[in-house]
Amino acid sequence: MDYSAQLTQALDTLHQEGRYRTFIDIERQQGNFPHAIWRRADGSARDVTVWCGNDYLGMGQHPAVLSAMHAALDATGAGSGGTRNISGTTVYHKQLEAELADLHGKEAALLFTSAYIANDATLSTLPKLFPGLIIYSDELNHASMIEGVRRNGGAKRIFRHNDVAHLRDLLAADDPAAPKLIAFESIYSMDGDFGPIAAICDLADEFGALTYIDEVHAVGMYGPRGAGVAERDRLMHRLDIINGTLAKAYGVMGGYIATSAKMCDAIRSYAPGFIFTTSLPPAVAAGAAASVRHMKTDQARRQAHQEQAAKLKLRLKGLGLPIIDHGSHIVPVIVGDPVHTKQLSDMLLEQFGIYVQPINFPTVPRGTERLRFTPSPVHGAEEMDHLVRALDALWSRCELNRAELSA
């Protein structure tokens, strides 16, 4: 085989379909978020405003977080020095896990290097702990959940997105004695819709199933202490395993599960994705713990975040743009074509200094390509005005281009 030619063919396919992804080299500016410096390939630079970041609340710049990280870095050095089992567990890791267990009202929490790894490692390990386990997975679950379910070697059932009736049919068709687990999300990040948590918990009770919820796009931002949608809806006690991230609303890095002490003990003892991975640097764990601790009481920041999202959606609707609005903080604008999505993204960046990354297949279905905006409490009125004016100016231009291409 001509390996080089095969690689060229694979990459050319992405280019031809308009799905080739490019990295935008940005330099975040401490104390000046959401502004950043865009470093072009030719060495030039310009100021940009980031409208697609996952640092939803600006906590990556918060003084409490930075202070905790500086203190831990000075005290311990850069890295953890090993896996959690071999010299890589520090007081900072234990403190963070205690904060997370308290956040979710669970006996324990287990820290991973990312929420992707937490999902993959946990879901792929559960059938080892419960032989014959059947996992019922929402069809729009995150790739990390899909991968974990796929790799576990056990039985799986895929239910239509948020379709509780279909889930009931699948549960009823299986052996009542078989161990079961329902895996779903609280907020689905591409459309911003909510999972039917209470209804799924009711089915889990009826059919004797465990519940596994991904709260990645909700922790920090929903609920009285930021524990997520399940906390907002007073349902945390009905969920067996809660997955979350430290890299979005908390502004740092890492992922975790919060569950019973026995479940954490079993996952840490059996999951290769946990056992054989170097643990997070102590400074990162310290910063994450500080962020979680702070957001347990900063309801004003959560409220400001929701207000910003609602304001942006209202203004984009006023322009007649095709946005999806399920009441969450996520603001998707549907373009419907990968080439034009990339074109809009490029023009926003080049002409207006607005950075929003195009979202294409396979992240979203073909024909639903979009720009996904993530307003935050630190996006001010001036930044929002600039964004709305830019979209108003560019949208009609892209509509004309679409018409010319289809003629």
Short mmCIF file of all heavy atoms in Angstrom, two decimals, residues 277-325:
data_model
loop_
_atom_site.label_atom_id
_atom_site.label_comp_id
_atom_site.label_asym_id
_atom_site.label_seq_id
_atom_site.Cartn_x
_atom_site.Cartn_y
_atom_site.Cartn_z
N THR A 277 -3.12 5.94 33.74
CA THR A 277 -2.98 7.33 33.29
C THR A 277 -2.32 8.18 34.36
O THR A 277 -2.73 8.15 35.53
CB THR A 277 -4.36 7.93 32.95
OG1 THR A 277 -4.95 7.18 31.89
CG2 THR A 277 -4.22 9.38 32.50
N THR A 278 -1.32 8.94 33.98
CA THR A 278 -0.71 9.88 34.91
C THR A 278 -1.76 10.86 35.41
O THR A 278 -2.57 11.36 34.63
CB THR A 278 0.43 10.65 34.21
OG1 THR A 278 1.43 9.71 33.80
CG2 THR A 278 1.06 11.67 35.15
N SER A 279 -1.74 11.14 36.69
CA SER A 279 -2.76 12.01 37.28
C SER A 279 -2.53 13.47 36.90
O SER A 279 -1.44 13.86 36.46
CB SER A 279 -2.78 11.85 38.79
OG SER A 279 -1.56 12.30 39.36
N LEU A 280 -3.57 14.26 37.08
CA LEU A 280 -3.48 15.70 36.80
C LEU A 280 -2.37 16.34 37.62
O LEU A 280 -2.12 15.94 38.76
CB LEU A 280 -4.79 16.38 37.13
CG LEU A 280 -5.98 16.16 36.20
CD1 LEU A 280 -7.23 16.79 36.81
CD2 LEU A 280 -5.70 16.77 34.82
N PRO A 281 -1.69 17.37 37.09
CA PRO A 281 -0.72 18.11 37.89
C PRO A 281 -1.39 18.67 39.14
O PRO A 281 -2.54 19.12 39.09
CB PRO A 281 -0.27 19.23 36.95
CG PRO A 281 -0.52 18.70 35.58
CD PRO A 281 -1.75 17.86 35.70
N PRO A 282 -0.70 18.67 40.26
CA PRO A 282 -1.28 19.20 41.50
C PRO A 282 -1.80 20.63 41.35
O PRO A 282 -2.84 20.97 41.93
CB PRO A 282 -0.11 19.13 42.49
CG PRO A 282 0.75 18.04 41.98
CD PRO A 282 0.64 18.10 40.49
N ALA A 283 -1.10 21.47 40.59
CA ALA A 283 -1.56 22.85 40.42
C ALA A 283 -2.91 22.91 39.72
O ALA A 283 -3.75 23.76 40.04
CB ALA A 283 -0.52 23.66 39.64
N VAL A 284 -3.12 22.02 38.77
CA VAL A 284 -4.41 21.97 38.07
C VAL A 284 -5.51 21.52 39.03
O VAL A 284 -6.61 22.10 39.06
CB VAL A 284 -4.33 21.03 36.86
CG1 VAL A 284 -5.70 20.81 36.24
CG2 VAL A 284 -3.37 21.60 35.81
N ALA A 285 -5.22 20.49 39.82
CA ALA A 285 -6.20 20.02 40.81
C ALA A 285 -6.53 21.12 41.82
O ALA A 285 -7.69 21.31 42.20
CB ALA A 285 -5.67 18.78 41.52
N ALA A 286 -5.52 21.86 42.24
CA ALA A 286 -5.74 22.93 43.21
C ALA A 286 -6.61 24.04 42.62
O ALA A 286 -7.52 24.57 43.27
CB ALA A 286 -4.40 23.50 43.67
N GLY A 287 -6.33 24.42 41.37
CA GLY A 287 -7.13 25.44 40.71
C GLY A 287 -8.57 25.00 40.51
O GLY A 287 -9.50 25.79 40.71
N ALA A 288 -8.75 23.74 40.14
CA ALA A 288 -10.11 23.22 39.94
C ALA A 288 -10.88 23.20 41.25
O ALA A 288 -12.06 23.56 41.30
CB ALA A 288 -10.04 21.82 39.33
N ALA A 289 -10.22 22.79 42.33
CA ALA A 289 -10.88 22.76 43.64
C ALA A 289 -11.30 24.17 44.05
O ALA A 289 -12.41 24.37 44.58
CB ALA A 289 -9.95 22.15 44.68
N ALA A 290 -10.44 25.15 43.81
CA ALA A 290 -10.77 26.53 44.14
C ALA A 290 -11.96 27.02 43.32
O ALA A 290 -12.83 27.74 43.83
CB ALA A 290 -9.56 27.43 43.91
N SER A 291 -12.01 26.63 42.05
CA SER A 291 -13.10 27.04 41.18
C SER A 291 -14.42 26.42 41.63
O SER A 291 -15.46 27.10 41.70
CB SER A 291 -12.79 26.65 39.74
OG SER A 291 -13.75 27.17 38.85
N VAL A 292 -14.41 25.12 41.91
CA VAL A 292 -15.62 24.44 42.37
C VAL A 292 -16.11 25.07 43.67
O VAL A 292 -17.30 25.35 43.85
CB VAL A 292 -15.36 22.93 42.55
CG1 VAL A 292 -16.55 22.25 43.22
CG2 VAL A 292 -15.05 22.27 41.21
N ARG A 293 -15.16 25.31 44.57
CA ARG A 293 -15.50 25.89 45.88
C ARG A 293 -16.14 27.27 45.70
O ARG A 293 -17.15 27.59 46.33
CB ARG A 293 -14.24 25.97 46.73
CG ARG A 293 -14.47 26.27 48.20
CD ARG A 293 -13.14 26.28 48.96
NE ARG A 293 -12.37 25.06 48.75
CZ ARG A 293 -11.17 25.00 48.16
NH1 ARG A 293 -10.60 26.13 47.74
NH2 ARG A 293 -10.55 23.86 48.01
N HIS A 294 -15.54 28.08 44.82
CA HIS A 294 -16.06 29.42 44.61
C HIS A 294 -17.46 29.39 44.00
O HIS A 294 -18.36 30.15 44.43
CB HIS A 294 -15.12 30.21 43.70
CG HIS A 294 -15.66 31.57 43.33
ND1 HIS A 294 -15.44 32.69 44.09
CD2 HIS A 294 -16.43 31.97 42.28
CE1 HIS A 294 -16.04 33.72 43.55
NE2 HIS A 294 -16.66 33.31 42.45
N MET A 295 -17.67 28.53 43.00
CA MET A 295 -18.94 28.53 42.29
C MET A 295 -20.08 27.93 43.10
O MET A 295 -21.24 28.04 42.71
CB MET A 295 -18.80 27.80 40.95
CG MET A 295 -18.05 28.59 39.88
SD MET A 295 -18.65 30.31 39.67
CE MET A 295 -20.40 30.04 39.37
N LYS A 296 -19.78 27.33 44.23
CA LYS A 296 -20.86 26.85 45.11
C LYS A 296 -21.65 28.02 45.70
O LYS A 296 -22.78 27.83 46.16
CB LYS A 296 -20.28 25.99 46.23
CG LYS A 296 -19.82 24.61 45.77
CD LYS A 296 -19.19 23.82 46.92
CE LYS A 296 -18.72 22.44 46.44
NZ LYS A 296 -18.07 21.67 47.51
N THR A 297 -21.06 29.20 45.70
CA THR A 297 -21.73 30.36 46.30
C THR A 297 -21.93 31.53 45.35
O THR A 297 -22.62 32.49 45.70
CB THR A 297 -20.94 30.87 47.53
OG1 THR A 297 -19.62 31.24 47.11
CG2 THR A 297 -20.83 29.79 48.60
N ASP A 298 -21.39 31.48 44.14
CA ASP A 298 -21.45 32.63 43.23
C ASP A 298 -22.68 32.52 42.31
O ASP A 298 -22.57 32.32 41.10
CB ASP A 298 -20.17 32.71 42.40
CG ASP A 298 -20.03 34.07 41.70
OD1 ASP A 298 -21.02 34.83 41.67
OD2 ASP A 298 -18.93 34.35 41.18
N GLN A 299 -23.85 32.66 42.91
CA GLN A 299 -25.08 32.57 42.13
C GLN A 299 -25.21 33.75 41.17
O GLN A 299 -25.81 33.62 40.10
CB GLN A 299 -26.29 32.51 43.06
CG GLN A 299 -27.61 32.21 42.37
CD GLN A 299 -27.68 30.81 41.78
OE1 GLN A 299 -26.84 29.97 42.05
NE2 GLN A 299 -28.67 30.57 40.93
N ALA A 300 -24.64 34.88 41.51
CA ALA A 300 -24.72 36.06 40.65
C ALA A 300 -24.07 35.80 39.30
O ALA A 300 -24.57 36.24 38.25
CB ALA A 300 -24.06 37.26 41.33
N ARG A 301 -22.95 35.08 39.30
CA ARG A 301 -22.27 34.78 38.04
C ARG A 301 -23.12 33.83 37.19
O ARG A 301 -23.21 33.98 35.97
CB ARG A 301 -20.90 34.15 38.33
CG ARG A 301 -20.01 33.97 37.09
CD ARG A 301 -18.65 33.45 37.48
NE ARG A 301 -17.88 34.43 38.22
CZ ARG A 301 -16.81 35.08 37.74
NH1 ARG A 301 -16.39 34.83 36.51
NH2 ARG A 301 -16.17 35.95 38.47
N ARG A 302 -23.75 32.85 37.85
CA ARG A 302 -24.64 31.95 37.11
C ARG A 302 -25.80 32.72 36.50
O ARG A 302 -26.18 32.50 35.33
CB ARG A 302 -25.18 30.86 38.04
CG ARG A 302 -24.30 29.64 38.13
CD ARG A 302 -24.96 28.52 38.90
NE ARG A 302 -24.96 28.76 40.33
CZ ARG A 302 -23.92 28.52 41.12
NH1 ARG A 302 -22.80 28.04 40.61
NH2 ARG A 302 -23.99 28.74 42.41
N GLN A 303 -26.39 33.62 37.26
CA GLN A 303 -27.52 34.39 36.76
C GLN A 303 -27.12 35.29 35.60
O GLN A 303 -27.84 35.40 34.60
CB GLN A 303 -28.11 35.23 37.90
CG GLN A 303 -29.35 36.04 37.51
CD GLN A 303 -30.50 35.17 37.07
OE1 GLN A 303 -30.67 34.05 37.57
NE2 GLN A 303 -31.30 35.67 36.13
N ALA A 304 -25.96 35.92 35.71
CA ALA A 304 -25.48 36.78 34.63
C ALA A 304 -25.26 35.98 33.35
O ALA A 304 -25.52 36.46 32.24
CB ALA A 304 -24.19 37.48 35.06
N HIS A 305 -24.78 34.76 33.51
CA HIS A 305 -24.55 33.88 32.36
C HIS A 305 -25.87 33.59 31.63
O HIS A 305 -25.96 33.70 30.39
CB HIS A 305 -23.90 32.58 32.84
CG HIS A 305 -23.60 31.63 31.75
ND1 HIS A 305 -23.98 30.31 31.79
CD2 HIS A 305 -22.95 31.78 30.57
CE1 HIS A 305 -23.57 29.69 30.70
NE2 HIS A 305 -22.94 30.55 29.94
N GLN A 306 -26.89 33.23 32.39
CA GLN A 306 -28.19 32.94 31.77
C GLN A 306 -28.78 34.19 31.10
O GLN A 306 -29.38 34.09 30.02
CB GLN A 306 -29.15 32.40 32.84
CG GLN A 306 -28.79 31.03 33.38
CD GLN A 306 -28.88 29.94 32.33
OE1 GLN A 306 -29.76 29.97 31.47
NE2 GLN A 306 -27.97 28.97 32.38
N GLU A 307 -28.60 35.32 31.72
CA GLU A 307 -29.12 36.57 31.14
C GLU A 307 -28.43 36.90 29.83
O GLU A 307 -29.07 37.35 28.87
CB GLU A 307 -28.96 37.72 32.14
CG GLU A 307 -29.89 37.60 33.35
CD GLU A 307 -29.57 38.62 34.43
OE1 GLU A 307 -28.59 39.38 34.25
OE2 GLU A 307 -30.30 38.67 35.43
N GLN A 308 -27.12 36.69 29.77
CA GLN A 308 -26.38 36.96 28.54
C GLN A 308 -26.85 36.04 27.41
O GLN A 308 -27.01 36.48 26.26
CB GLN A 308 -24.88 36.77 28.78
CG GLN A 308 -24.22 37.90 29.55
CD GLN A 308 -24.15 39.17 28.72
OE1 GLN A 308 -25.11 39.95 28.70
NE2 GLN A 308 -23.04 39.40 28.05
N ALA A 309 -27.04 34.76 27.73
CA ALA A 309 -27.49 33.82 26.70
C ALA A 309 -28.88 34.19 26.19
O ALA A 309 -29.14 34.18 24.98
CB ALA A 309 -27.49 32.40 27.28
N ALA A 310 -29.77 34.53 27.11
CA ALA A 310 -31.13 34.90 26.72
C ALA A 310 -31.12 36.17 25.86
O ALA A 310 -31.86 36.28 24.87
CB ALA A 310 -31.99 35.11 27.96
N LYS A 311 -30.27 37.12 26.21
CA LYS A 311 -30.18 38.38 25.47
C LYS A 311 -29.68 38.13 24.04
O LYS A 311 -30.23 38.69 23.07
CB LYS A 311 -29.26 39.35 26.20
CG LYS A 311 -29.22 40.75 25.61
CD LYS A 311 -28.22 41.63 26.36
CE LYS A 311 -28.56 41.73 27.83
NZ LYS A 311 -27.59 42.62 28.55
N LEU A 312 -28.64 37.30 23.91
CA LEU A 312 -28.09 37.03 22.58
C LEU A 312 -29.12 36.31 21.72
O LEU A 312 -29.31 36.65 20.54
CB LEU A 312 -26.80 36.22 22.69
CG LEU A 312 -26.15 35.86 21.35
CD1 LEU A 312 -25.80 37.12 20.55
CD2 LEU A 312 -24.90 35.01 21.57
N LYS A 313 -29.81 35.32 22.28
CA LYS A 313 -30.82 34.60 21.50
C LYS A 313 -31.94 35.53 21.04
O LYS A 313 -32.38 35.45 19.89
CB LYS A 313 -31.38 33.44 22.32
CG LYS A 313 -30.43 32.25 22.41
CD LYS A 313 -31.05 31.06 23.10
CE LYS A 313 -31.04 31.18 24.59
NZ LYS A 313 -31.42 29.93 25.27
N LEU A 314 -32.36 36.43 21.92
CA LEU A 314 -33.41 37.36 21.56
C LEU A 314 -32.98 38.27 20.41
O LEU A 314 -33.74 38.52 19.47
CB LEU A 314 -33.79 38.20 22.78
CG LEU A 314 -34.94 39.20 22.60
CD1 LEU A 314 -36.24 38.46 22.29
CD2 LEU A 314 -35.10 40.05 23.85
N ARG A 315 -31.75 38.74 20.46
CA ARG A 315 -31.28 39.65 19.42
C ARG A 315 -31.07 38.93 18.09
O ARG A 315 -31.37 39.50 17.02
CB ARG A 315 -29.98 40.33 19.88
CG ARG A 315 -30.20 41.23 21.09
CD ARG A 315 -28.99 42.07 21.40
NE ARG A 315 -28.72 43.04 20.33
CZ ARG A 315 -27.74 43.92 20.39
NH1 ARG A 315 -26.94 43.97 21.46
NH2 ARG A 315 -27.53 44.76 19.39
N LEU A 316 -30.61 37.70 18.13
CA LEU A 316 -30.43 36.94 16.89
C LEU A 316 -31.77 36.57 16.27
O LEU A 316 -31.94 36.56 15.05
CB LEU A 316 -29.58 35.70 17.14
CG LEU A 316 -28.13 35.95 17.58
CD1 LEU A 316 -27.38 34.64 17.72
CD2 LEU A 316 -27.41 36.88 16.62
N LYS A 317 -32.74 36.25 17.13
CA LYS A 317 -34.09 36.00 16.62
C LYS A 317 -34.63 37.26 15.95
O LYS A 317 -35.33 37.18 14.93
CB LYS A 317 -35.01 35.58 17.76
CG LYS A 317 -34.79 34.17 18.27
CD LYS A 317 -35.72 33.89 19.45
CE LYS A 317 -35.48 32.52 20.04
NZ LYS A 317 -36.35 32.26 21.23
N GLY A 318 -34.31 38.42 16.53
CA GLY A 318 -34.76 39.69 15.95
C GLY A 318 -34.21 39.91 14.55
O GLY A 318 -34.83 40.60 13.74
N LEU A 319 -33.05 39.32 14.25
CA LEU A 319 -32.47 39.42 12.91
C LEU A 319 -33.07 38.39 11.96
O LEU A 319 -32.76 38.39 10.76
CB LEU A 319 -30.95 39.20 12.97
CG LEU A 319 -30.12 40.23 13.72
CD1 LEU A 319 -28.65 39.81 13.70
CD2 LEU A 319 -30.29 41.62 13.14
N GLY A 320 -33.87 37.48 12.51
CA GLY A 320 -34.45 36.42 11.68
C GLY A 320 -33.52 35.26 11.44
O GLY A 320 -33.75 34.47 10.52
N LEU A 321 -32.47 35.12 12.24
CA LEU A 321 -31.52 34.03 12.05
C LEU A 321 -32.11 32.72 12.58
O LEU A 321 -32.84 32.72 13.58
CB LEU A 321 -30.20 34.33 12.74
CG LEU A 321 -29.45 35.59 12.29
CD1 LEU A 321 -28.07 35.62 12.91
CD2 LEU A 321 -29.36 35.65 10.78
N PRO A 322 -31.77 31.60 11.93
CA PRO A 322 -32.33 30.29 12.33
C PRO A 322 -31.60 29.71 13.54
O PRO A 322 -30.74 28.84 13.42
CB PRO A 322 -32.12 29.43 11.08
CG PRO A 322 -30.91 30.02 10.42
CD PRO A 322 -30.96 31.50 10.70
N ILE A 323 -31.93 30.18 14.72
CA ILE A 323 -31.28 29.67 15.92
C ILE A 323 -32.14 28.58 16.56
O ILE A 323 -33.35 28.50 16.32
CB ILE A 323 -30.99 30.79 16.94
CG1 ILE A 323 -32.26 31.17 17.72
CG2 ILE A 323 -30.39 32.00 16.29
CD1 ILE A 323 -31.98 31.97 18.96
N ILE A 324 -31.49 27.73 17.34
CA ILE A 324 -32.19 26.72 18.13
C ILE A 324 -32.23 27.22 19.57
O ILE A 324 -31.20 27.58 20.13
CB ILE A 324 -31.47 25.36 18.06
CG1 ILE A 324 -31.42 24.86 16.62
CG2 ILE A 324 -32.18 24.34 18.94
CD1 ILE A 324 -30.62 23.58 16.46
N ASP A 325 -33.42 27.22 20.16
CA ASP A 325 -33.55 27.73 21.52
C ASP A 325 -34.38 26.77 22.37
O ASP A 325 -35.61 26.70 22.24
CB ASP A 325 -34.21 29.11 21.51
CG ASP A 325 -34.30 29.72 22.91
OD1 ASP A 325 -33.75 29.12 23.84
OD2 ASP A 325 -34.91 30.80 23.03
#
